[in-house]
């Protein structure tokens, strides 16, 4: 998987690159309009993270360029502007997703995975790992081919964790992803803990070979059970 | 008061005064003219009577007005020599054709003296005068008619001519009322070459251009500020997340990092909320579609199910009728979610939230603190309850800002131990 990160801010570019390297992606970076334009013309990428405000030009122009080449489908715009106009314009130009800064690494991860998944649409809409299968289209979850009922939010949580397998998912990231604006951002995260507890119970009862580990009380990590 | 009515008011007032003064002057002039002409007549009579008296002495016997208009009285020489011609107004009992009984009528009386064959006589001649109150009455009626006629004429002229003249102004005003900065529409145009209106249009256009520039600059500033703040916040969040992911931390260290992350999270949220508030106040949400509050509320309650369950708070929705309005759907969502979130988070365990939807009111009432909130500043920015310091203190200000944008009204009341928020949707 080849990913291009177009971002002028060095720190952010490097942080994203470090994070994506953990997913074993091949990472290329561009720090301004011209280098990005050049790279886009020469190479094909599975996913492009595109900042809108760039030195020497706008990310939207790059998107137009990609569209002309018929390669705009795998772009995720990452912008500090949460402007409806940019969002609509970007999506109209063929971008796949629009992520507003600041974002959690887990969120970026999940979005990239979703883009890659859509791109490689081979009729499969499932995530399989260990002995579990999560069907994103039908919203079903099964362990050892046995269907385990999950409620709406439990499904979303599990889905998010599976996109971020072996990665840290902070409580804040999870709350924002699953409950969006409805959860009071600063309220105690006991609620998240409670939700995770329920999900864990279902996982262990169904003998799923995955586990949600707590990470320093800051977040969680989904891992495959070590074979004991 | 409309300009048209105002000018009409001043015109009729000054006309009233002018006509009033004019009719007074006119009245006295007329009266004087009448008297002069009567006096002339009386003088003629006198000469005739004196002339006739020389031939017909019986006339000299006539010592009262019975059946005539003069009387004679013999006087001494001294009296005659000292007397002068006097004209006076007087009244006499007289029965006119239209009177039932004799009544006092005004007369002009000439008193004079003459000598006839060495005898001296005083001659009094009367002539009936116009009745002053009749004259006043007639004149008054005429003046009123004149006045009304003038007013009516002015009214019609005002309506036809002035309204025609002011038409560009009113159309300009209408355009100005509907003008929204930032929508890029054409500047209001008076469509006339009349100097005053053209000047007005120029002044307004310059003002608008200036405003648009300021508006654009402000928008640009907000966007830049957002970019400048969001990116460092993104870097800070992501770096810390990666740092924790690396592991090898002592619990203590991890806790400190968690604290820092929470603070950053709070900054992120605050920044986003402030930007949203600025956007609302800049009227940058002008998407308008038919929105059903019933749907939004039910959806929102479903989305918050787990949270309310966890907090052991029961949410009930009662729908008296369908409540729809035209507005930006994301803003409608924000109104509902902020009110509900507020009601859930400032609640007590085992409490409840009641949502009532009627024709044009959304009422959210919840259990919570037994102390009423301050009705004055509950919607102002950064007003927080003492018990909960974690919120941004902006949630309700956003509700208020959206309500202001659409002309809804939102109010808070503490009723029967419940905190009630009422949104009146127009």
């Amino acid at each position: 998987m080849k990913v291009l990160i177009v971002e002028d801010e060095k720190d952010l570019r490097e942080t994203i690159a470090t994070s994506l390297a953990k997913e074993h992606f091949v990472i290329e970076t561009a720090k301004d309009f011209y280098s990005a334009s050049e790279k886009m013309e020469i190479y094909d990428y599975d996913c492009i993270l595109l900042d809108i405000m760039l030195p020497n030009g706008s990310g939207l122009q790059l998107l137009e360029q990609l569209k002309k080449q018929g390669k705009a489908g795998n772009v995720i715009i990452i912008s500090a502007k949460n402007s409806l106009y940019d969002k609509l314009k970007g999506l109209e130009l063929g971008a796949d997703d629009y992520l507003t800064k600041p974002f959690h690494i887990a969120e970026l991860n999940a979005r990239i995975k979703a883009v890659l998944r859509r791109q490689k649409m081979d009729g499969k809409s499932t995530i399989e790992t260990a002995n579990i299968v999560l069907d994103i289209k039908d919203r079903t979850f099964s362990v050892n081919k046995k269907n385990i009922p999950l409620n709406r939010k439990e499904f979303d949580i599990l889905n998010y964790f599976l996109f971020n397998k072996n990665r840290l998912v902070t409580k804040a990231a999870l709350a924002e992803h699953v409950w969006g604006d409805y959860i009071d951002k600063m309220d105690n995260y006991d609620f998240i803990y409670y939700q995770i507890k329920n999900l864990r119970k279902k996982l262990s009862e169904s003998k799923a070979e995955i586990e949600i580990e707590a990470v320093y009380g800051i977040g969680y990590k989904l891992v495959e059970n070590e074979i004991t | 008061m409309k300009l048209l009515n105002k000018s009409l008011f001043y015109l009729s007032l000054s006309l009233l005064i002018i006509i009033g003064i004019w009719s007074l002057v006119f009245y006295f002039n007329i009266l004087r003219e009448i008297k002069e002409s009567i006096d002339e007549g009386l003088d003629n009579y006198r000469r005739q009577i004196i002339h006739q008296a020389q031939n017909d002495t019986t006339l000299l016997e006539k010592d009262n007005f019975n059946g005539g208009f003069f009387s004679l009285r013999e006087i001494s020489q001294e009296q005659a020599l000292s007397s002068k011609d006097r004209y006076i107004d007087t009244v006499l009992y007289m029965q006119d054709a239209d009177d039932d009984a004799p009544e006092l009528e005004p007369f002009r009386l000439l008193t004079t003296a003459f000598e006839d064959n060495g005898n001296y006589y005083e001659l009094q001649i009367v002539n009936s005068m116009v009745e002053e109150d009749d004259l006043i009455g007639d004149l008054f009626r005429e003046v009123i008619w004149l006045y009304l006629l003038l007013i009516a004429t002015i009214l019609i002229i005002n309506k036809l001519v002035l309204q025609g003249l002011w038409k560009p102004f009113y159309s300009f005003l209408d355009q100005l009322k509907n003008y929204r900065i930032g929508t890029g529409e054409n500047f209001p145009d008076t469509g006339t070459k009349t100097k005053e209106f053209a000047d007005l249009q120029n002044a307004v256009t310059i003002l608008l251009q200036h405003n648009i520039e300021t508006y654009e600059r402000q928008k640009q500033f907000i966007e830049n500020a957002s970019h400048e703040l969001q990116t460092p916040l993104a870097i800070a969040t992501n770096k810390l997340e990666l740092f924790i992911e690396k592991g090898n931390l002592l619990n203590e260290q991890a806790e400190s990092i968690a604290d820092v992350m929470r603070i950053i999270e709070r900054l992120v949220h605050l920044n986003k909320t402030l930007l949203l508030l600025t956007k609302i106040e800049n009227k940058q949400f002008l998407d308008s579609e038919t929105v059903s509050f019933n749907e939004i509320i039910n959806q929102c309650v479903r989305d918050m199910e787990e949270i309310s369950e966890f907090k052991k708070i029961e949410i009930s929705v009662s729908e008296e009728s369908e409540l729809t309005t035209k507005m930006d759907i994301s803003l409608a969502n924000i109104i509902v979610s902020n009110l509900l979130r507020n009601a859930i988070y400032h609640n007590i365990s085992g409490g409840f939230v009641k949502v009532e939807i009627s024709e044009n009111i959304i009422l959210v009432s919840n259990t919570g603190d037994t102390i009423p909130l301050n009705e004055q500043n509950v919607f102002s920015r950064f007003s927080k309850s003492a018990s909960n310091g974690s919120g941004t203190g902006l949630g309700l200000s956003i509700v208020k800002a959206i309500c202001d944008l659409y002309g809804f009204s939102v109010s808070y009341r503490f009723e029967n131990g419940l905190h009630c928020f009422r949104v009146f949707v127009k």
Side-chain angles (χ1 to χ4, degrees):
Chain A
M1 293 288 168
K2 252 172 103 176
V3 178
L4 175 66
I5 305 167
V6 185
E7 164 66 55
D8 57 325
E9 196 81 28
K10 178 170 164 283
D11 277 319
L12 190 59
R13 195 170 61 237
E14 285 171 1
T15 316
I16 295 173
T18 314
S19 164
L20 294 186
K22 291 190 182 183
E23 303 287 329
H24 308 292
F25 293 141
V26 178
I27 317 287
E28 295 228 17
T29 58
K31 64 180 190 328
D32 59 21
F33 183 84
Y34 298 122
S35 61
S37 168
E38 201 181 302
K39 282 194 166 140
M40 283 173 181
E41 219 157 287
I42 302 172
Y43 307 106
D44 281 336
Y45 294 95
D46 297 295
C47 185
I48 298 171
L49 304 180
L50 185 61
D51 189 10
I52 294 215
M53 287 162 113
L54 288 172
N56 314 324
S58 153
L60 291 176
Q61 286 168 266
L62 287 173
L63 204 53
E64 269 171 54
Q65 180 193 325
L66 281 171
K67 197 184 179 185
K68 270 186 213 140
Q69 299 164 10
K71 299 198 282 195
N74 48 0
V75 173
I76 298 176
I77 295 172
I78 43 173
S79 170
K81 283 200 232 172
N82 184 14
S83 123
L84 193 64
Y85 170 79
D86 279 357
K87 201 168 194 161
L88 292 178
K89 185 81 189 155
L91 297 182
E92 185 191 299
L93 284 171
D96 199 84
D97 209 343
Y98 188 100
L99 190 57
T100 311
K101 285 184 204 168
F103 44 77
H104 295 284
I105 280 179
E107 188 62 35
L108 180 65
N109 239 343
R111 304 273 182 119
I112 292 174
K113 296 277 175 68
V115 167
L116 295 178
R117 176 165 290 278
R118 275 195 286 276
Q119 209 191 1
K120 299 201 177 353
M121 197 76 86
D122 44 7
K124 230 171 67 171
S125 66
T126 56
I127 304 176
E128 291 164 33
T129 191
N131 62 344
I132 65 129
V133 178
L134 191 79
D135 192 316
I136 293 168
K137 219 168 94 204
D138 300 338
R139 295 184 70 85
T140 56
F141 172 61
S142 51
V143 181
N144 288 329
K145 300 206 169 76
K146 196 171 148 256
N147 189 49
I148 309 292
L150 292 181
N151 72 30
R152 223 154 37 96
K153 296 297 179 192
E154 283 167 345
F155 182 90
D156 289 342
I157 295 171
L158 192 58
N159 190 0
Y160 197 50
F161 272 120
L162 283 168
F163 273 153
N164 284 292
K165 205 173 112 188
N166 295 322
R167 300 293 304 270
L168 167 75
V169 175
T170 61
K171 287 178 179 176
L174 187 64
E176 199 177 310
H177 179 83
V178 180
W179 281 277
D181 280 338
Y182 296 115
I183 195 160
D184 197 72
K185 297 289 190 302
M186 293 309 115
D187 201 59
N188 52 39
Y189 285 116
D190 292 350
F191 166 61
I192 300 292
Y193 170 75
Y194 174 77
Q195 297 296 320
I196 298 290
K197 204 176 81 182
N198 286 350
L199 187 58
R200 274 175 173 165
K201 209 168 124 198
K202 282 192 184 175
L203 289 177
S204 70
E205 274 171 4
S206 62
K207 299 204 167 50
E209 287 164 6
I210 51 170
E211 203 181 335
I212 298 172
E213 282 178 355
V215 181
Y216 302 119
I218 291 170
Y220 300 94
K221 188 193 269 188
L222 182 137
V223 291
E224 276 182 49
N225 276 355
E226 315 238 325
I227 298 151
T228 48
Chain B
M1 200 191 248
K2 276 186 101 173
L3 196 64
L4 211 71
N5 298 342
K6 218 164 193 166
S7 73
L8 195 67
F9 172 75
Y10 288 125
L11 273 174
S12 35
L13 199 70
S14 38
L15 271 179
L16 191 66
I17 294 167
I18 291 169
I19 290 183
I21 293 172
W22 175 85
S23 44
L24 272 179
V25 171
F26 180 74
Y27 169 75
F28 286 111
N29 277 343
I30 282 285
L31 212 58
R32 207 186 62 228
E33 283 295 322
I34 290 171
K35 279 182 186 167
E36 270 172 16
S37 97
I38 289 176
D39 291 351
E40 240 168 73
L42 287 174
D43 196 43
N44 285 341
Y45 285 141
R46 180 181 64 122
R47 264 181 265 140
Q48 277 180 17
I49 290 166
I50 294 172
H51 182 69
Q52 277 181 21
Q54 285 170 346
N55 305 327
D56 181 2
T57 49
T58 54
L59 279 180
L60 298 171
E61 310 296 309
K62 203 169 162 24
D63 57 358
N64 60 47
F65 289 110
N66 279 346
F69 54 89
F70 64 90
S71 76
L72 286 164
R73 183 163 66 91
E74 203 172 334
I75 48 170
S76 63
Q77 190 182 7
E78 296 82 58
Q79 275 176 314
L81 288 178
S82 65
S83 93
K84 282 181 188 153
D85 288 3
R86 276 178 294 133
Y87 296 93
I88 54 165
D89 294 328
T90 183
V91 284
L92 290 174
Y93 270 103
M94 195 63 112
Q95 189 163 12
D96 286 348
D98 55 344
D99 294 336
D100 302 335
E103 55 182 47
L104 287 171
E105 300 278 349
F107 280 89
R108 191 76 174 161
L109 174 74
L110 166 64
T111 308
T112 184
F114 68 96
E115 184 253 323
D116 187 65
N117 294 328
N119 293 325
Y120 292 92
Y121 300 93
E122 183 196 65
L123 171 65
Q124 286 189 311
I125 313 169
V126 291
N127 195 350
S128 125
M129 271 257 297
V130 61
E131 290 180 43
E132 279 178 37
D133 48 349
D134 281 358
L135 184 65
I136 290 173
D138 281 349
L139 201 61
F140 187 68
R141 264 193 299 284
E142 299 300 323
V143 165
I144 291 284
W145 277 115
L146 177 69
Y147 182 65
L148 288 181
L149 192 72
L150 279 174
I151 296 290
T153 316
I154 290 168
L155 201 70
I156 290 164
I157 289 172
N158 254 342
K159 266 254 177 293
L160 293 182
V161 180
L162 281 183
Q163 212 161 53
L165 285 179
W166 281 98
K167 204 172 178 166
F169 175 78
Y170 286 114
S171 99
F172 183 68
L173 195 65
D174 266 350
Q175 292 174 53
L176 206 56
K177 274 184 195 158
N178 294 323
Y179 189 81
R180 275 224 178 85
I181 284 180
T183 47
E185 53 193 294
N186 290 335
F187 291 127
D189 183 17
T190 52
T192 174
K193 288 204 174 78
T194 314
K195 187 173 179 303
E196 284 82 355
F197 294 140
D199 281 355
L200 178 68
Q201 186 188 328
N202 281 340
V204 167
T205 305
I206 288 167
L207 190 66
L208 281 179
Q209 270 165 347
H210 182 72
N211 267 322
I212 288 167
E213 262 170 47
T214 314
Y215 175 79
E216 292 296 333
R217 266 206 302 272
Q218 188 192 350
K219 235 170 45 173
Q220 198 62 47
F221 174 76
I222 292 167
E223 276 169 13
N224 292 345
S226 133
H227 191 205
E228 297 309 319
L229 267 175
Q230 305 279 64
T231 309
L233 284 172
I235 296 167
T237 315
N238 297 357
K239 279 205 180 244
L240 283 177
E241 281 173 347
L242 284 180
F243 185 62
I244 291 196
E245 222 175 31
K246 247 188 248 165
N248 302 327
L249 291 174
L250 296 174
N251 277 342
E252 253 172 65
Q253 295 169 322
E255 242 164 63
S256 300
I257 293 172
D259 285 344
V260 176
M261 283 175 86
R262 260 195 291 277
I263 291 165
I264 294 174
E265 192 73 15
R266 192 163 160 180
L267 274 176
V268 168
H269 186 49
L270 196 61
N271 194 36
K272 273 188 189 165
T273 315
L274 277 174
L275 281 173
L276 176 66
L277 203 54
T278 325
K279 266 183 167 179
I280 294 167
E281 282 170 359
N282 282 350
K283 301 190 174 32
Q284 287 175 21
F285 287 91
L286 289 169
D287 248 18
S288 169
E289 55 189 301
T290 307
V291 166
S292 158
F293 272 107
N294 303 58
E295 268 174 41
I296 290 176
I297 288 168
N298 284 317
Q299 179 62 45
C300 189
V301 168
R302 270 199 300 281
D303 285 331
M304 300 183 94
E305 215 172 13
E306 296 87 11
I307 302 171
S308 55
E309 216 170 83
F310 175 72
K311 297 215 149 216
K312 300 195 175 54
I313 289 157
E314 193 163 338
I315 308 183
S316 61
V317 181
S318 69
E319 296 168 71
E320 210 174 89
S321 68
E322 189 71 18
L323 174 51
T324 55
T325 189
K326 267 194 155 349
M327 68 182 292
D328 188 286
I329 193 158
S330 58
L331 293 183
N333 264 312
I334 291 171
I335 292 186
V336 172
S337 66
N338 280 13
L339 282 178
L340 277 181
R341 199 173 57 216
N342 190 64
I344 288 175
Y345 280 91
H346 298 281
N347 216 316
I348 45 170
S349 184
F352 62 83
V353 176
K354 267 195 318 197
V355 187
E356 288 161 54
I357 310 166
S358 54
E359 209 180 319
N360 48 15
I361 290 173
I362 304 167
L363 174 64
V364 179
S365 44
N366 63 282
T367 48
D369 254 354
T370 47
I371 307 153
L373 302 172
N374 185 337
E375 284 178 34
Q376 303 302 317
N377 64 16
V378 65
F379 294 107
S380 41
R381 293 180 189 189
F382 303 114
S383 89
K384 295 183 199 177
S385 64
S387 62
N388 190 329
S390 66
T392 53
L394 287 170
L396 289 175
S397 330
I398 286 180
V399 172
K400 178 91 169 67
I402 299 172
C403 286
D404 288 348
L405 178 64
Y406 286 100
F408 304 165
S409 68
V410 59
S411 64
Y412 165 78
R413 216 165 280 155
F414 190 69
E415 287 170 358
N416 307 323
L418 297 177
H419 300 275
C420 305
F421 289 89
R422 211 175 251 106
V423 178
F424 183 79
V425 178
K426 278 194 188 128

